[in-house]
């Protein structure tokens, strides 16, 4: 059987807990929103660990923190590992951070064991993967790195009214030269990302580690209904133009349409903003963000097309005006077959129990798939994700780290 290298879990566990203290909430969760004071503190700590692992560290103009250890042959394409360290509000301490900390551990383990790396290695902590600061769909840093940003991305505002452009400037970055963050296919051999699973599949299957075969294609669509605000008591039911009823009917339509398509398709009416939101006024304007995801691009687009027809029908029947705007679309991404095969072989060599599965969440990896071959590893997580009760055991994280380590070494020295 092929010899494999294994990682000690002690430093991983200690670093996860140390990072979790930055932005810690009263519920035991984490609020480390991108480009805030807490986010800066988190990057400073991650930067220290990267340097301890023997990497040079830089922050690109999109806020991505990049650690790099040069290879014996520096001209070769790099093997990149990474994830993110920003969180949702009152989120869990494992989401994203596990991938960054384990990536650093891989590099530090190579250094301490004296294992040479033929190719350069990069560990990337992507900026604003969650999208919590600007509510614009997330994966900002990886979109910047793959050249997917538009001028509109810098104009969006946070809850205080500050634009992303202003926030980046205040963070010490140069959004006027954000294109400097773009990387190309010549930079990377592969991209590997480890993440806690954000659903219940590994828990149900009593399996510690999942090999991700594909990442769902995320789409966010804003639907705005406009009717007429009026008195709730004095306006007869047949003379109402209630925007909230149009939005509510649309939310139910999302469920009905997505259930008919089945497969890996999921859909959510994720937000509902009501104007005016008062007890004695019929809602005159309502906006809702519809999140449709599928690993099959044709299926996702068919769902969106059918939903638009349904919104038009609802609006006409209820005498409402409507506007639909696509806020974000990310293509589904398949893991590279050669990386999947490598992971299968390394799992066998480690006697590691795994299952293969798609990811229903969006990740920086699916953007990186635009410029390099990628694959992901999931680690079992209790209580899902995006909440302070998220739990991943040190034992499971170590098993995932062992698989990431040995897969990375395969490519680093090829």
């Amino acid at each position: 059987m092929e010899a494999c290298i294994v990682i000690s879990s002690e430093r991983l566990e200690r670093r996860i807990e140390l990072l979790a203290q930055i932005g810690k909430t009263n519920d035991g969760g984490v609020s480390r929103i991108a480009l805030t004071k807490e986010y800066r503190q988190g990057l400073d700590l991650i930067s220290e660990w990267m340097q301890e692992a023997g990497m040079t560290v830089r922050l690109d103009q999109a806020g991505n923190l990049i650690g790099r250890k040069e290879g014996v042959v520096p001209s070769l394409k790099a093997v990149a590992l990474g994830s993110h360290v920003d969180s949702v509000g009152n989120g869990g301490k494992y989401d994203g951070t596990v991938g960054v900390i384990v990536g650093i551990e891989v590099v530090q383990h190579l250094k301490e064991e004296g294992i040479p790396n033929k190719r350069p290695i990069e560990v990337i902590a992507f900026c604003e993967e969650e999208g919590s600061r600007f509510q614009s769909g997330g994966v900002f840093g990886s979109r910047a790195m793959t050249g997917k940003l538009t001028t509109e991305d810098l104009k969006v505002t946070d809850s205080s009214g500050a634009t992303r452009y202003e926030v980046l400037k205040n963070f010490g970055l140069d959004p006027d030269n954000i294109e400097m963050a773009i990387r190309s296919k010549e930079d990377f051999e592969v991209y590997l990302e480890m993440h806690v699973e954000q659903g219940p599949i590994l828990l149900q299957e009593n399996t510690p580690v999942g090999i991700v075969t594909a990442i769902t294609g995320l789409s966010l669509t804003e639907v705005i209904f406009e009717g007429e605000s009026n008195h709730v008591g004095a306006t007869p039911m047949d003379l109402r133009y209630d925007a909230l009823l149009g939005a509510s009917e649309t939310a139910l339509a999302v469920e009905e349409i997505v259930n008919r398509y089945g497969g890996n398709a999921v859909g959510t009416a994720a937000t509902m903003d009501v104007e005016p939101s008062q007890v004695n006024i019929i809602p005159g304007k309502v906006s809702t963000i519809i999140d449709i995801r599928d690993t099959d691009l044709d299926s996702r687009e068919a769902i969106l097309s059918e939903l638009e027809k349904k919104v038009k029908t609802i609006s006409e029947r209820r005498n409402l005006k409507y506007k639909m705007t696509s806020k974000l679309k990310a293509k589904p991404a398949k893991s590279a077959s050669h990386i999947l095969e490598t992971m299968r072989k390394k799992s066998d060599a480690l006697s590691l129990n795994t299952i293969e599965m798609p990811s229903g969440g969006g990740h920086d990896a699916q953007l990186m798939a635009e410029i390099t071959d990628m694959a992901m590893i999931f680690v079992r997580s209790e209580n899902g994700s995006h909440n302070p009760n998220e739990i991943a055991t040190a034992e499971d994280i170590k098993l995932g780290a062992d698989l990431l380590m040995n897969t990375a070494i395969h490519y680093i020295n090829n």
Side-chain angles (χ1 to χ4, degrees), residues 123 148 176 185 206 225 286 299 313:
V123 179
K148 298 297 181 183
D176 290 313
K185 294 180 179 179
N206 193 28
F225 291 93
V286 175
S299 172
T313 299

Side-chain angles (χ1 to χ4, degrees), residues 76-77 79 118-119 189 342 408-414:
L76 291 177
K77 295 180 181 181
V79 170
K118 181 179 177 182
R119 293 182 180 276
E189 180 70 8
T342 299
I409 288 175
H410 171 83
Y411 288 99
I412 286 166
N413 289 319
N414 252 358

Side-chain angles (χ1 to χ4, degrees), residues 216-343:
T216 191
L218 164 68
S219 70
L220 296 178
T221 305
E222 182 181 44
V223 185
I224 300 175
F225 291 93
E226 290 193 62
E228 182 179 276
S229 297
N230 221 322
H231 196 286
V232 298
T235 308
M237 296 300 289
D238 61 346
L239 296 178
R240 294 177 177 225
Y241 309 109
D242 189 330
L244 181 55
L245 292 180
S248 299
E249 194 173 343
T250 297
L252 292 172
V254 169
E255 180 184 46
E256 186 273 326
I257 293 169
V258 170
N259 280 340
R260 273 197 284 106
Y261 277 80
N264 292 319
V266 293
T268 309
T271 67
M272 199 77 77
D273 293 324
V274 181
E275 299 178 30
S277 184
Q278 296 186 34
V279 295
N280 58 353
I281 303 177
I282 296 166
K285 182 178 179 181
V286 175
S287 65
T288 178
I289 300 290
I290 307 297
D291 183 322
I292 303 292
R293 308 181 185 209
D294 202 331
T295 53
D296 184 315
L297 181 59
D298 291 338
S299 172
R300 186 194 72 184
E301 293 303 296
I303 291 169
L304 289 170
S305 177
E306 190 169 334
L307 178 63
E308 184 162 12
K309 292 176 183 176
K310 185 67 175 180
V311 167
K312 181 181 180 181
T313 299
I314 292 168
S315 298
E316 290 174 347
R317 175 162 40 80
R318 294 188 174 276
N319 291 308
L320 303 171
K321 296 178 182 178
Y322 79 93
K323 180 181 179 182
M324 292 184 72
T325 306
S326 176
K327 307 299 285 185
L328 175 67
K329 278 190 176 182
K331 293 179 182 178
K334 291 184 178 179
S335 298
S337 58
H338 64 92
I339 305 179
L340 293 179
E341 185 58 31
T342 299
M343 287 183 175

